[in-house]
Amino acid sequence: MAYAIFLGGLIVVLAGLTWFARWAKGRGHGSGLAGAVAAYEEAYRPTSHHAHQEQRVAADRQAESGSPDV
């Protein structure tokens, strides 16, 4: 019985975290978590951190580009 309660609680927590992640991503609030993960990767996985930085630069470059007529 205790295992069923534990498993049920674990499922509820994971479902809540999944819902929160989708909600935060949909509202654009996921950048804080991305920064935390980037700090972890910088310390423990430098090659992954380097790839993350390249992706951010590419995204910033796309955001700054104007219309082709200008």
Side-chain angles (χ1 to χ4, degrees), residues 1-68:
M1 180 68 175
Y3 292 117
I5 293 172
F6 174 75
L7 186 61
L10 183 63
I11 289 172
V12 168
V13 168
L14 291 177
L17 289 174
T18 302
W19 170 82
F20 178 73
R22 288 184 182 174
W23 175 81
K25 187 175 183 181
R27 295 181 56 113
H29 290 43
S31 62
L33 181 59
V37 171
Y40 170 80
E41 289 180 346
E42 182 179 7
Y44 294 106
R45 299 188 318 186
T47 56
S48 178
H49 174 71
H50 182 67
H52 175 75
Q53 292 300 326
E54 289 180 2
Q55 289 173 352
R56 287 188 62 198
V57 168
D60 290 343
R61 193 175 311 126
Q62 288 177 351
E64 292 175 359
S65 64
S67 67

